[in-house]
Amino acid sequence: MIALDVRRHPQNMTIMNIVWPVTGLYFPVVGWWLYAAMGRPMAADAPKMKRQQPYWKSIFLSATHCGSGCVIGDIIGAPIVLATGWALFGQRLYADYVVEFGIAYLFGIAFQYFPIRAMRQVPPQEAIIDAVKADTLSLTAFEVGMFAWMAVIWFLLMATNRPDASSIVFWFMMQIGMVLGFLTTYPANWLLVRWGVKSAM
């Protein structure tokens, strides 16, 4: 529903046309409410906002970039680990960590790079450096929250019957982990904006 609405009402910042539907994947139902409250008013055809939005909302929007990169990395990475049967130190979980973090980091940097280039008109090298600065801490914070939850599932809650990426239980648990990851990346984004490393939206 968000993807269809974004297609009819594209966002001012192009990357948000991807970010909002991805946000809806791990914030189901609530994602639509968040999009309606924060995304729809930022559409290119929406009336211009008369005042600056609250600081917490600008941080929330900044955190959605990081969250979307991480989620895409997880959606791509987990099936790769399952298909290859790769394990690290005898555990598939650790292989999941490495592959998902690597892919998420690439997407996270891209999600920062393109808005930086669009907003500031800086050379590509400078935009990449700024994207790395802006996304490394926030993405790591997201993955810490999500990976901690994955460890709880792997070693405690489902240690005798571990789901894999072919199971709906796996993706439901991942969805919970993604929400927890968003909660851990929000304060990281707050700090990055306060320190001037990252721009609030």
Side-chain angles (χ1 to χ4, degrees):
M1 287 175 64
I2 294 172
L4 289 172
D5 199 74
V6 163
R7 188 168 181 175
R8 288 195 298 266
H9 306 282
Q11 294 281 293
N12 271 314
M13 188 176 291
T14 306
I15 197 69
M16 296 306 289
N17 294 324
I18 300 169
V19 168
W20 278 117
V22 173
T23 301
L25 285 175
Y26 66 101
F27 276 116
V29 183
V30 174
W32 174 260
W33 176 78
L34 294 168
Y35 166 71
M38 289 185 254
R40 199 66 176 306
M42 295 174 64
D45 61 357
K48 297 298 178 189
M49 288 185 277
K50 294 180 181 177
R51 60 184 179 83
Q52 193 172 7
Q53 60 187 342
Y55 185 68
W56 73 267
K57 281 189 179 181
S58 65
I59 301 298
F60 185 97
L61 292 170
S62 296
T64 59
H65 279 197
C66 167
S68 295
C70 290
V71 169
I72 292 172
D74 299 331
I75 290 171
I76 295 172
I80 289 174
V81 173
L82 175 65
T84 59
W86 188 41
L88 191 61
F89 306 117
Q91 297 284 349
R92 190 184 75 237
L93 177 68
Y94 300 146
D96 275 325
Y97 285 174
V98 171
V99 174
E100 290 171 23
F101 185 91
I103 297 172
Y105 194 68
L106 292 175
F107 275 97
I109 296 301
F111 279 25
Q112 291 296 329
Y113 171 82
F114 291 110
I116 288 171
R117 286 276 286 157
M119 289 188 300
R120 292 173 33 202
Q121 304 295 317
V122 296
Q125 300 90 334
E126 185 179 337
I128 288 173
I129 291 168
D130 288 348
V132 168
K133 287 179 184 175
D135 209 56
T136 300
L137 177 61
S138 59
L139 186 137
T140 302
F142 185 102
E143 297 291 22
V144 164
M146 196 187 77
F147 288 172
W149 173 249
M150 289 171 68
V152 168
I153 298 302
W154 187 263
F155 293 113
L156 298 176
L157 298 183
M158 296 186 170
T160 57
N161 187 23
R162 293 166 174 160
D164 60 35
S166 66
S167 161
I168 195 167
V169 174
F170 175 90
W171 291 107
F172 177 68
M173 292 302 173
M174 285 287 278
Q175 191 175 28
I176 295 171
M178 290 166 185
V179 172
L180 294 173
F182 190 90
L183 295 177
T184 54
T185 199
Y186 186 92
N189 277 270
W190 188 293
L191 289 173
L192 287 167
V193 171
R194 180 154 290 183
W195 293 337
V197 176
K198 191 174 185 179
S199 298
M201 291 180 62

